[in-house]
Amino acid sequence: MKILEIKVLKGPNYWSVRRPKLIQMKLDLEEMEQRPTNTIPGFRERLEKMFPTMYGHRCSVGTPGGFFQRVDEGTWMGHVIEHIALELQTVAGMDTGFGRTRTPEGEKEGVYYVVFSYMEEDAGVYAAKASVAIAEALIDDKPYDLAADIQRLREIREDTRLGPSTGCIVDEAAKRGIPYIRLNKHSLVQLGYGVNQKRIRATIASTTSNIAVDIACDKEETKLLLEAAEIPVPRGTVIRTEVGLEEAISKFGYPLVIKPIDGNHGKGNTTNITNREQAQRAFEAAKEYSRSVIVERFITGYDFRCLVINYKFVCAALRTPASVVGDGEHTIQWLINEVNKDPRRGYGHEKVLTQITVDQFTQKMLDDIGYTIETIPAKGERVLLKPTANLSTGGTSTDVTDEVHPANIFMFERIAKIIGLDICGIDVMATDLRSPISENGGAILEVNAAPGFRMHIEPADGLPRNVAEPVVDMLFPKGSAGRIPIIAITGTNGKTTTTRLAAHIAKSANKKVGYTTSDGVYIQNQLMMKGDCTGPISSQFVLKDPTVDFAILECARGGILKAGLAFRNCEVAVVTNVAADHIGLGGINTVEAMAKVKAVVPETVFPHGYAVLNADDDLVYKMRDGLKCNIALFSMDENNPRIKEHCAAHGLACVYENGYVTIMKGTWKIRVLPARDIPLTYEAKAVHNINNCLPAVLSAYLFRDITIEDIRTGLQTFVPSENLTPGRLNFFHFKNFTMLADFAHNPHGLRLLCDFVSKLDFPMRIGVISGTGDRRDDDIRELGAISATHFDEIIIRCDKNLRGRTADEIIGLLKEGIESVNPDVPVAVIANENEALEYIYAHPKQGALYTIMCDVVAGALDKIRELKQREEMEEKPLALSQ
């Protein structure tokens, strides 16, 4: 078996809109296509022995053990690999269960698309590869180290996933419909879109004061501020030298705490120091993290963490360092192993508790009391294994929120205000929190920025607290979802023009628009990225921009198939049309399958939003079935029966009627403008651009704060040019001829272009055509046939990227199409686009219109501008001589 390709889908996609995180593996079973599972001796038994928990996979049978039943009956190895990949992740602590294995219509025999869900991207890719290797080992009855794969998946999970604190905030935001974008591989996350976004890094929010974080990270400065406010803190001092250490010991006596002045998470901290030797080692440990070291009197009592969010007390937990209790018979190592058998303990953050490991801190703790891991503690003796009570090192927590005295609550909220931290973790050492700390001899040890939430959301004992809720309440008050309006536009042709026009209308309504197109990403009409920017990365670029309050996103099939959409939901989705283009690529071998790709976009519309569909296109109109949102239609024919039926049911539509672009609300008509007054339509001759106006107008009208006057202004001021609409009907008038540059690149688009050209008054029409190498033979032939029907002469050129074909192949197919319609039309072949343009400039036909199918739009326009400038320079000497 051979893996041909692995894609990571991160958003709504061809396979599922509701389950956006999917791995898509293209797999060639090769000879295994002829060997279903029931023909492989012992395969079922070996599979069940390796994955006994796979009995829970119901598969299509719908009952426990259903998948094993399918294996007994005989299923193909792609299906088995799907289930192995899912079970691998589940056993490694990433419980996930969606999968599909299909051979697309028209695909080579034995080639399957194995699709399964993942929780962490890198783990999903690893599971894909490992599942194939496991299947091969099971087929061949060879040993396989499954434990190594599971451990590696756990390590990948811990390295790549959000930590429990960040994760719980993101989960809480997602539950409220607030979108999020992970901004790096660590814990920096954007909540919301555009101007309404907030950011978090672990538990520091974009609302958190930088000064407050700086103060909290300086333990001595924190202590001075609290002491000045009559908050009980341990007596202590800051030292840098061993002389300072001696002075501190002399002044405060034992027991002591020594810690770095700007440490965090307990790093470099040593507690309960009772002699000079321990103090020296503690001093050296602290110096590894900070030049300055705090020496404090050790306060006896219990370690509590109290959490204040938005200056309101939220919860408190009792923290206990990792430890074991002796039984008088077994070693410390044996006792650790027994503690780690607790099913609540796991690797990293996968469970409520973390397994206890023996590290340098453990060795130091044992050394200090003269023990080793082979020591047998006395029965009932508690042996501490870590200097701090962090859960990540094996500590435990117990919720004590309901026990906290009101005086202590007042103190904690006051401390947060004194430091200025809106998310504040306060470390307290006291006998308990039931009585005021000021009375029971307790003290505030530290104030923490970015406090961990795990001890509160998953305590070992006591009530879990949803501490993410007040964080999200603080960031998004009054039910705000942090969103900006999104119009998503897809289809075969007309996407870019519709996107640009809709963006221009929104801008006319004073929106700060970010939009993506096939020629670039624009933020408020400023080009930010060049090239084909119709995929999810470009969409995210817009959604991440903090200046944007309105997003219009062109979504092409390539991005949907490669990675899915960048957003889970949108307010409006437009589908312009579906035609035969890109067929045979990415497993999409029919126009119907292509329609399913495009349908992903309207399927993401909110229930209160609108899918704007082309009622003149059967495949697009059919998309309305099953949608859970409102439907609005557009048509070039007001008498289209679909429009009549829709409007009779009080539906919204936009039509071309009696020369007008008209909005229909039920049976009422709102005439927006005559098409001839819209510059984009070239006096209503460019019928395809009238068609493009309809969804743009309708999409804008769906927003209450965009008025009819805004729409009219946008239509009247959207003047096509090579700058505003590059590669879309760009005219260049030379002295003796005219060039018309357009990005038409498929039969449907070329037919529309030629219809426009046929209405223009030129004595000769010459086409400069090309075929795209990765299209079907018939598609390329059809381009030639359409050209032969409409042009008096034809120049054939080739794209810079031939996409898997030779130039001779493409030229040959175009010629076949031309000859099938008009074998007498003159045909010249100039393979290079720039050379073809140079030829036209050097040998122009008087008064001719040269219609150029652009390859790379920017490059073609630059070359035509260069020729135009050359003509102007050549004319200047003539003017001077006269």
Side-chain angles (χ1 to χ4, degrees):
M1 294 183 289
K2 183 180 180 182
I3 298 174
L4 302 177
E5 179 183 65
I6 294 177
K7 289 181 178 177
V8 180
L9 307 178
K10 303 178 183 180
N13 56 73
Y14 180 79
W15 302 99
S16 177
V17 172
R18 293 188 300 110
R19 301 175 183 87
K21 296 172 69 172
L22 298 176
I23 297 294
Q24 176 185 296
M25 175 168 58
K26 188 176 181 181
L27 181 67
D28 188 346
L29 296 189
E30 298 178 321
E31 72 278 359
M32 291 308 301
E33 173 65 7
Q34 309 305 321
R35 297 182 65 193
T37 52
N38 60 348
T39 67
I40 305 170
F43 181 82
R44 152 70 191 270
E45 290 74 17
R46 293 192 292 274
L47 177 63
E48 189 169 8
K49 182 179 179 182
M50 182 176 282
F51 294 105
T53 51
M54 205 178 275
Y55 181 79
H57 291 212
R58 296 170 174 262
C59 205
S60 58
V61 178
T63 59
F67 172 63
F68 285 137
Q69 182 180 327
R70 291 289 310 278
V71 173
D72 288 337
E73 294 168 351
T75 189
W76 273 259
M77 205 51 61
H79 183 206
V80 173
I81 286 167
E82 168 204 322
H83 281 265
I84 292 174
L86 290 170
E87 190 63 14
L88 262 179
Q89 295 178 87
T90 298
V91 173
M94 294 168 282
D95 192 2
T96 187
F98 175 82
R100 294 284 185 272
T101 299
R102 301 284 187 270
T103 296
E105 181 182 345
E107 192 60 75
K108 170 189 166 187
E109 184 183 16
V111 173
Y112 291 80
Y113 285 77
V114 179
V115 179
F116 59 88
S117 53
Y118 67 88
M119 293 182 70
E120 301 301 327
E121 177 182 327
D122 292 349
V125 173
Y126 185 94
K129 297 174 181 177
S131 62
V132 175
I134 290 169
E136 289 175 333
L138 290 170
I139 292 166
D140 298 334
D141 194 11
K142 291 182 178 178
Y144 190 89
D145 189 354
L146 181 63
D149 277 343
I150 293 171
Q151 180 58 25
R152 181 62 190 133
L153 281 168
R154 286 172 171 160
E155 292 169 358
I156 293 171
R157 180 200 69 209
E158 291 304 302
D159 287 344
T160 59
R161 76 170 179 174
L162 292 171
S165 300
T166 313
C168 74
I169 297 173
V170 169
D171 290 344
E172 178 66 25
K175 280 193 296 185
R176 303 185 189 193
I178 298 169
Y180 69 92
I181 301 172
R182 192 170 178 177
L183 298 177
N184 62 13
K185 291 185 177 181
H186 305 291
S187 57
L188 182 61
V189 178
Q190 173 183 317
L191 303 177
Y193 290 151
V195 295
N196 295 322
Q197 67 180 269
K198 303 291 184 184
R199 291 181 182 177
I200 57 170
R201 187 198 293 273
T203 59
I204 293 178
S206 49
T207 56
T208 303
S209 161
N210 183 58
I211 294 175
V213 173
D214 191 52
I215 291 169
C217 289
D218 187 327
K219 298 186 187 333
E220 182 62 13
E221 189 169 5
T222 299
K223 183 179 173 182
L224 289 173
L225 286 173
L226 296 182
E227 195 170 24
E230 295 297 328
I231 303 293
V233 296
R235 295 172 57 234
T237 188
V238 177
I239 64 170
R240 288 193 176 188
T241 64
E242 291 186 24
V243 173
L245 177 61
E246 290 289 349
E247 293 173 351
I249 292 171
S250 175
K251 182 175 181 180
F252 302 115
Y254 298 111
L256 293 172
V257 175
I258 295 180
K259 55 189 176 182
I261 196 169
D262 51 4
N264 56 59
H265 301 293
K267 295 174 182 175
N269 290 14
T270 307
T271 61
N272 200 16
I273 298 164
T274 58
N275 58 57
R276 181 64 179 79
E277 183 181 352
Q278 289 178 356
Q280 183 63 36
R281 287 201 301 268
F283 175 71
E284 292 169 359
K287 291 284 281 186
E288 291 181 13
Y289 295 94
S290 176
R291 291 177 61 192
S292 298
V293 171
I294 292 177
V295 181
E296 290 179 341
R297 181 74 180 175
F298 179 64
I299 305 296
T300 57
Y302 295 103
D303 182 356
F304 296 96
R305 165 62 65 81
C306 304
L307 186 64
V308 177
I309 297 173
N310 202 18
Y311 307 108
K312 296 293 183 183
F313 171 75
V314 173
C315 57
L318 168 65
R319 302 189 297 176
T320 306
S323 63
V324 292
V325 178
D327 61 2
E329 298 179 10
H330 297 96
T331 66
I332 291 173
Q333 182 64 67
W334 187 92
L335 294 169
I336 290 173
N337 294 341
E338 284 299 298
V339 169
N340 283 339
K341 289 179 181 178
D342 184 339
R344 296 178 301 168
R345 290 190 182 270
Y347 180 82
H349 297 309
E350 72 178 343
K351 297 184 179 179
V352 173
L353 300 174
T354 299
Q355 291 187 343
I356 300 171
T357 58
V358 177
D359 56 18
Q360 70 269 27
F361 296 109
T362 308
Q363 297 287 3
K364 180 178 180 298
M365 295 285 290
L366 296 176
D367 288 347
D368 288 345
I369 59 175
Y371 283 8
T372 71
I373 59 171
E374 298 305 319
T375 298
I376 300 175
K379 185 174 182 178
E381 179 186 357
R382 179 175 293 276
V383 181
L384 296 179
L385 301 171
K386 304 291 179 183
T388 63
N390 293 337
L391 270 65
S392 59
T393 59
T396 63
S397 67
T398 301
D399 179 73
V400 294
T401 303
D402 297 330
E403 301 176 5
V404 181
H405 192 280
N408 292 334
I409 291 175
F410 173 74
M411 178 188 292
F412 300 149
E413 292 177 350
R414 185 164 171 257
I415 287 169
K417 282 283 190 180
I418 291 167
I419 304 302
L421 273 178
D422 57 3
I423 302 175
C424 180
I426 301 168
D427 290 344
V428 181
M429 186 66 71
T431 53
D432 61 69
L433 296 181
R434 291 186 293 270
S435 58
I437 293 169
S438 57
E439 296 176 6
N440 64 22
I444 305 302
L445 302 183
E446 291 184 10
V447 177
N448 297 275
F453 284 0
R454 185 184 176 199
M455 70 187 77
H456 305 296
I457 59 177
E458 294 182 325
D461 295 294
L463 189 67
R465 305 288 174 170
N466 183 5
V467 295
E469 183 178 33
V471 174
V472 178
D473 286 342
M474 177 181 72
L475 297 176
F476 298 96
K478 298 180 182 178
S480 166
R483 292 182 171 275
I484 60 174
I486 296 174
I487 299 176
I489 299 174
T490 192
T492 301
N493 292 307
K495 299 186 298 295
T496 296
T497 300
T498 303
T499 298
R500 285 182 169 278
L501 179 56
H504 188 77
I505 292 171
K507 182 173 177 289
S508 299
N510 297 315
K511 303 294 185 184
K512 295 181 176 63
V513 185
Y515 62 98
T516 64
T517 70
S518 57
D519 49 69
V521 176
Y522 296 79
I523 303 295
Q524 299 184 53
N525 271 11
Q526 297 293 313
L527 179 63
M528 298 294 170
M529 295 171 63
K530 286 185 177 181
D532 187 348
C533 296
T534 55
I537 293 175
S538 303
S539 294
Q540 273 204 354
F541 184 95
V542 170
L543 298 175
K544 289 191 289 189
D545 193 286
T547 68
V548 171
D549 63 16
F550 203 96
I552 303 180
L553 308 173
E554 180 179 344
C555 303
R557 60 98 220 170
I560 297 172
L561 290 174
K562 184 177 181 181
L565 297 173
F567 49 89
R568 300 285 181 92
N569 297 101
C570 61
E571 279 66 29
V572 175
V574 173
V575 187
T576 58
N577 46 65
V578 177
D581 192 21
H582 300 281
I583 304 300
L585 303 176
I588 305 303
N589 300 313
T590 66
V591 181
E592 289 73 21
M594 183 61 73
K596 184 180 176 184
V597 176
K598 307 291 186 181
V600 171
V601 179
E603 287 173 14
T604 66
V605 177
F606 282 114
H608 65 268
Y610 278 83
V612 177
L613 305 177
N614 186 347
D616 299 333
D617 187 305
D618 292 345
L619 290 171
V620 176
Y621 182 70
K622 190 177 179 181
M623 291 178 190
R624 78 196 191 289
D625 298 335
L627 292 181
K628 297 178 181 178
C629 63
N630 300 299
I631 306 295
L633 301 176
F634 65 95
S635 172
M636 290 294 288
D637 178 12
E638 70 165 324
N639 293 314
N640 183 325
R642 294 166 176 172
I643 294 292
K644 286 190 169 184
E645 179 185 358
H646 179 69
C647 290
H650 309 290
L652 269 174
C654 190
V655 298
Y656 181 50
E657 57 88 24
N658 292 317
Y660 281 85
V661 171
T662 298
I663 294 170
M664 298 186 68
K665 295 178 67 176
T667 57
W668 294 97
K669 293 181 179 179
I670 303 172
R671 285 184 169 172
V672 182
L673 274 178
R676 65 179 180 275
D677 292 344
I678 301 172
L680 184 64
T681 71
Y682 291 91
E683 298 180 334
K685 294 175 183 175
V687 175
H688 63 292
N689 273 349
I690 299 175
N691 201 4
N692 291 333
C693 288
L694 302 180
V697 167
L698 189 51
S699 298
Y701 182 75
L702 293 172
F703 293 91
R704 292 183 179 180
D705 54 352
I706 298 179
T707 67
I708 288 292
E709 284 308 313
D710 293 328
I711 294 171
R712 289 188 178 118
T713 299
L715 291 173
Q716 290 172 322
T717 57
F718 189 74
V719 180
S721 68
E722 68 270 21
N723 294 318
L724 191 58
T725 55
R728 275 73 185 173
L729 300 186
N730 300 150
F731 283 92
F732 295 85
H733 299 286
F734 289 78
K735 183 178 180 182
N736 297 315
F737 65 96
T738 298
M739 287 187 182
L740 170 59
D742 196 271
F743 187 55
H745 57 283
N746 56 55
H748 182 260
L750 182 59
R751 196 173 284 110
L752 294 171
L753 174 62
C754 288
D755 175 73
F756 169 65
V757 169
S758 67
K759 298 173 183 176
L760 302 178
D761 186 19
F762 287 91
M764 177 175 282
R765 299 176 182 86
I766 300 172
V768 182
I769 70 169
S770 66
T772 306
D774 59 5
R775 303 309 199 264
R776 299 175 301 179
D777 290 0
D778 287 346
D779 294 333
I780 298 175
R781 290 191 189 99
E782 191 175 357
L783 291 172
I786 295 168
S787 301
T789 302
H790 290 87
F791 295 123
D792 302 312
E793 294 183 14
I794 296 172
I795 298 173
I796 297 176
R797 62 154 191 84
C798 288
D799 289 351
K800 190 174 182 180
N801 183 354
L802 298 177
R803 304 192 189 195
R805 293 188 189 261
T806 65
D808 288 343
E809 274 186 278
I810 296 171
I811 292 166
L813 290 168
L814 288 170
K815 283 185 173 180
E816 287 177 23
I818 293 168
E819 290 168 2
S820 70
V821 172
N822 185 0
D824 297 325
V825 65
V827 177
V829 177
I830 307 174
N832 182 277
E833 184 172 64
N834 282 352
E835 290 178 8
L837 295 173
E838 286 281 1
Y839 175 82
I840 293 168
Y841 182 80
H843 306 90
K845 297 292 178 70
Q846 184 68 33
L849 172 66
Y850 290 86
T851 301
I852 300 156
M853 293 174 62
C854 297
D855 174 12
V856 178
V857 170
L861 295 183
D862 285 345
K863 182 62 181 179
I864 295 171
R865 291 189 193 100
E866 177 195 318
L867 295 174
K868 184 68 178 165
Q869 290 173 359
R870 189 188 306 172
E871 182 184 68
E872 291 170 356
M873 293 299 293
E874 290 171 351
E875 288 181 350
K876 280 185 179 179
L878 292 174
L880 290 172
S881 65
Q882 293 173 359

